[in-house]
Amino acid sequence: MFPSDNLKIFSGSSNVALADAVCKYLGIPIGGAKIDRFPDGEKVIRVEDDVRGRDCFVMQSTCRPVDEHLVELLIYLDCLRRASANRITAVIPYFGYARQDRKDEGRVPITAKLVANIIATAGADRVLAIDLHARQLQGFFDIPVDHLTGELVLSEYFRGKKIDKLTVVSPDVGNMKMAARYASRLGGELAIVHKKRMSGREVEALEIIGEVEGRNILMCDDIVATAGTVCSAAKLVKKRGAEKVYVGATHGVLAEQALERLGQTPIDEVVVTDTIPLSERAKKHDNIKVLTVSAMLGEAIKRIHRNESVSSLFNNV
Ligand code: R5P
């Protein structure tokens, strides 16, 4: 019988709208909890529903303010564990710190691994995440991870646009496999941009391998953060004679100067998902469209709760 009283979904404060949409999909109310602060600024959470022996899910994107949302998630997990939940799944639609996944110079941390460790230590038995930047990040967690991808809802949207003369462009070498999956789903050609990263904020698209002249471009990425990567690549493909340029990315981090950059670049549409809520400024931007991942997350939660296969969600897509 579904939904059952045994399933409880709670939401951190990072993305309440997405948690509401997931609960609506599942036909259950969102779990009762109070998130408050002590006068000195410390956060305190009190879960108001009885969770003893229940299958609990906590939804929290560790987006900006990253550390605050992360700590809130940890407190939530500890709270549910001490309240005797039977199983706790941390649902992390956007996992901040994912890009700090290796030592690419001396004396730097691998913060993605640190964060994975503390999430498990705080009480998570499982993780449900979407596009963890690099798929091998699943191995950073010593607990089971179900990994979903925003590529499905994005592909569906772009398929509906029936873009002719389509070339899917990977804006850097790291996204090549993702671009190939889009090209095979949507039936386009494939091209790749060679980019040079000067700093966290500055990148330069240097060269393209593949044909873009007279083609309509779908540029795909997992994250648009400062938008340096996609804007620099968009300018290069335009210079080489591309017609329309669309961007599809799972996580619209849209940090710092991203909106200005997107406004100054010949991109026809930027499509992201609701793993991160758009800022009020971003909502006013003319050509940013948001697709929801709520049904996909809801379906995955339902299957995890019933101990059914989650990977079969992706068969034939
Ligand atoms: C890089 O490895 C990622 O896939 C993204 O391309 C990158 O994180 C985007 O960052 P930004 O928008 O700041 O260039």
Side-chain angles (χ1 to χ4, degrees):
M1 179 68 174
F2 188 88
S4 74
D5 186 43
N6 187 27
L7 170 62
K8 295 276 178 196
I9 298 183
F10 296 92
S11 176
S13 52
S14 65
N15 199 343
V16 178
L18 180 58
D20 277 340
V22 167
C23 287
K24 202 165 163 204
Y25 175 86
L26 293 169
I28 59 171
I30 196 150
K34 268 211 178 90
I35 304 177
D36 213 341
R37 272 188 196 282
F38 286 120
D40 61 359
E42 288 177 6
K43 221 160 225 192
V44 57
I45 298 178
R46 184 170 189 280
V47 167
E48 295 179 321
D49 293 0
D50 180 8
V51 295
R52 186 175 293 270
R54 307 289 212 287
D55 190 16
C56 295
F57 293 77
V58 190
M59 292 186 59
Q60 180 81 310
S61 281
T62 49
C63 53
R64 242 178 336 168
V66 180
D67 297 339
E68 180 168 339
H69 287 148
L70 175 61
V71 169
E72 196 181 283
L73 171 63
L74 300 175
I75 296 173
Y76 235 126
L77 294 168
D78 185 72
C79 181
L80 290 169
R81 182 167 59 97
R82 291 178 196 278
S84 305
N86 179 41
R87 182 173 69 173
I88 306 167
T89 303
V91 182
I92 312 174
Y94 170 69
F95 180 72
Y97 285 116
R99 291 179 289 173
Q100 294 189 44
D101 60 355
R102 64 195 176 283
K103 284 188 74 167
D104 49 8
E105 56 180 319
R107 300 184 297 281
V108 294
I110 305 181
T111 314
K113 174 63 182 152
L114 170 69
V115 172
N117 285 346
I118 53 179
I119 286 172
T121 302
D125 298 301
R126 315 180 56 87
V127 166
L128 173 60
I130 304 180
D131 285 327
L132 278 171
H133 181 57
R135 291 187 172 203
Q136 54 270 29
L137 255 76
Q138 292 170 55
F140 283 23
F141 292 90
D142 294 325
I143 51 177
V145 176
D146 286 300
H147 189 246
L148 308 178
T149 176
E151 290 172 32
L152 306 183
V153 289
L154 288 159
S155 297
E156 207 47 47
Y157 175 77
F158 286 110
R159 188 177 294 126
K161 283 182 98 75
K162 297 190 183 2
I163 304 169
D164 65 345
K165 298 182 290 173
L166 175 68
T167 294
V168 180
V169 172
S170 174
D172 58 26
V173 179
N175 276 304
M176 189 62 200
K177 284 187 178 165
M178 176 190 276
R181 288 192 293 273
Y182 274 100
S184 105
R185 285 192 199 106
L186 301 175
E189 302 291 317
L190 194 56
I192 177 169
V193 170
H194 170 48
K195 98 176 173 193
K196 184 176 163 199
R197 182 172 283 286
M198 278 80 77
S199 69
R201 291 173 177 76
E202 298 298 328
V203 299
E204 190 185 347
L206 298 171
E207 201 38 82
I208 308 170
I209 304 166
E211 197 48 66
V212 294
E213 189 175 354
R215 309 283 299 173
N216 293 310
I217 305 300
L218 168 58
M219 202 167 295
C220 58
D221 210 336
D222 58 326
I223 297 173
V224 177
T226 65
T229 300
V230 292
C231 288
S232 167
K235 283 177 188 156
L236 184 60
V237 296
K238 274 290 202 186
K239 207 162 124 192
R240 301 285 168 88
E243 291 182 7
K244 294 209 164 194
V245 178
Y246 301 96
V247 170
T250 304
H251 306 299
V253 173
L254 303 177
E256 295 183 0
Q257 64 277 70
L259 296 179
E260 283 72 23
R261 274 187 176 154
L262 290 169
Q264 292 158 8
T265 306
I267 295 176
D268 294 85
E269 191 174 31
V270 178
V271 187
V272 294
T273 76
D274 57 355
T275 56
I276 299 173
L278 281 198
S279 66
E280 289 308 314
R281 262 186 78 214
K283 281 183 197 161
K284 290 187 194 126
H285 207 273
D286 282 345
N287 57 358
I288 299 180
K289 181 169 180 70
V290 181
L291 306 177
T292 185
V293 291
S294 56
M296 178 176 70
L297 271 178
E299 194 53 39
I301 288 173
K302 188 203 274 183
R303 288 174 188 224
I304 292 168
H305 175 62
R306 289 167 154 178
N307 292 320
E308 291 173 358
S309 162
V310 172
S311 57
S312 59
L313 257 178
F314 306 117
N315 290 346
N316 308 317
V317 283

